[in-house]
Amino acid sequence: MCGIVGYIGTEDAKEILLKGLEKLEYRGYDSAGIAVATEEGVHVFKEKGRIATLREVVDQGVKSTVGIGHTRWATHGEPSKVNAHPHQSESSRFTIVHNGVIENYEQLKRDYLQAVTLQSDTDTEVVVQLVERFVHEGQSVEAAFRHTLSLLKGSYAIALLDKKDTDTIYVGKNKSPLLVGVQDGVNVVASDAMAMLQVTDQFLEIMDEEIVIVTKDDVTIKTLDGTAVSREPYTAELDASDIEKGTYPHFMLKEIDEQPFVIRNIIQKYQNEDGSVRLDEDIRQAVMEADRIYIIAAGTSYHAGLVGKQLIENFAKQPVEVHIASEFLYNMPLLSKRPLFIFISQSGETADSRGVLVEVKKLGYKALTITNVPGSTLSREADFTLHTHAGPEIAVASTKAYTAQMAVLTLLAADTAKAKGIDLGFDPIQELSIVANAMETLCNQKETLEKIARDYLAVTRNCFFIGRATDYFVCLEGALKLKEISYIQAEGFAGGELKHGTIALIEEGTPIVALATQEHVNLSIRGNVKEVAARGAFPCIISIEGLNEEDDTFVLPKVHSHLTPLVSVIPLQLIAYYAALHRGCDVDKPRNLAKSVTVE
Ligand code: AGP
């Protein structure tokens, strides 16, 4: 979703801001802009569409060493040049970029800005007009900024320029991600460290309801009441090459291919010298003490949670519920006496999950976050974190983060089982190594999978994925992958459920992808395939060695029966990728979607 950057130093700010915005493109956006300050004033350049379009309108003749930039994912007001950020105050003294949602902006307009003609439909513009109003009333800029932020309800990461003081960027944060990067004689602002790795790898975390006064040589953090806060920077352990596509045409394909490496990396990070699973004692303790685990997540991470439930219940005999983050607070189940909450989130910034975490902490319960971004909000605010070690995931469609989440859940489940004295009868690390090898085999079968995508999905308008038991969960993920990047209407169903209604949608040639990797439901899912084939469907059966039959379309290498989701999803990811490619879709940046969903 929206991303912000800021730069104050000695180099040409325009190029650094534009490059920073390009690194934030993966988050999803529909317009972009930058503002740079010179002695003559603040120059704003903004456009609807891609950064490449913005580049064309930026006046290269404007020289500046300070500026702010923004990618916008529309929430209030359509995607347009007018609604794109930066926004300016009425006198154009102040210029702002904002990520988040100001929930009370209508109220603020009525209470404070009746006399101001707003230029855009955004919630953001209210913020910059309020700062100007309070400055006109005699407050210092810093006081006006703090006063304004104290009136806001909702989420924000904000950067503000004052044309009368071009040596300062004012920054504020609540609920939306924001970092300040530091370096000798240059400081930066970014929603995400990746955007400013070009300048520094030293970053300061900013907490909710803090402001930061950023100059070229100094960074001052304060609370909204003006109390100074001191904090040391940390080193962002990111490799700049991880966020490049290299020779790949798309990040998604690169990230699919990285999965065997990610699984081996996870094994390495969570393995003791004697080959056993290594987890923090505190985490083991928290899981053991819980009488029920509640997994909270969204989208693909929710699908990993469904598999996680099976793993924890089967291995550790511990009851687990899995909930969609955006629904949990409205449909809260009766909680057990000693719950443990597990938040699964690639980004660690998903607002829906964070909303639940905040409530859970208020209720005094323990929380563990499984995330790919250890310094993220969900990681910081939970009691414990398990890192998925997948490396930056840039493509909007999550692939390697999903398999990494399931691998970490496997280790968590196995570790809990061991702590409870349950003998699994197999070595989880050994089984994950077999998974990594199987993934490699599958990644080498791209031509076959491309052909399947062409044969089944080239012209269809819909597609159904069916499976039973754990295969059903992978079907949900396969359908999500296909729909989000190819725009084919795709749905995942439990094999036995189709005949209760959805079978009415089956027509001559409707593609049905069926997963058959589970022995105990193999016959029944094959029966379901026959039901739909008899009604004209075009079935694509993906089975596993040992359960395969002659006419199966694709056969997976054998892995442990509890770990099949880690391999069965790979052909589904690749089929989705090639289907999207054949349809000419923007694979890495699908329409309407954002990588990091930071609004509720
Ligand atoms: C999946 O491909 C999507 N990008 C989306 O469903 C994603 O998994 C969801 O928004 C949750 O994100 P998170 O893991 O960062 O919390």
Side-chain angles (χ1 to χ4, degrees), residues 298-301 344-348 350 353 396-398 405 480-481 484 594-595 597:
T300 290
S301 297
I344 306 178
S345 173
Q346 188 287 128
S347 62
T350 299
S353 300
V396 165
S398 186
Q405 288 162 350
L480 176 60
K481 269 322 63 103
E484 71 179 326
K595 179 68 180 164
V597 186

Side-chain angles (χ1 to χ4, degrees), residues 324-343:
I324 293 171
S326 58
E327 279 297 302
F328 186 80
L329 296 177
Y330 309 118
N331 279 318
M332 190 126 150
L334 282 176
L335 296 179
S336 65
K337 287 204 177 75
R338 296 185 314 282
L340 170 69
F341 283 82
I342 299 183
F343 292 84

Side-chain angles (χ1 to χ4, degrees), residues 380-400:
R380 283 201 315 270
E381 295 182 357
D383 301 275
F384 320 102
T385 295
L386 283 175
H387 186 188
T388 46
H389 294 289
E393 191 180 66
I394 310 290
V396 165
S398 186
T399 53
K400 62 177 180 172

Side-chain angles (χ1 to χ4, degrees), residues 14 46 100 120 181 222 232 239 289 405 438 509 531-532 563:
K14 298 189 303 291
K46 54 186 187 175
S120 72
K222 290 187 179 178
E232 288 302 309
D239 183 343
E289 279 169 9
Q405 288 162 350
E531 284 160 13
V532 289
L563 303 186

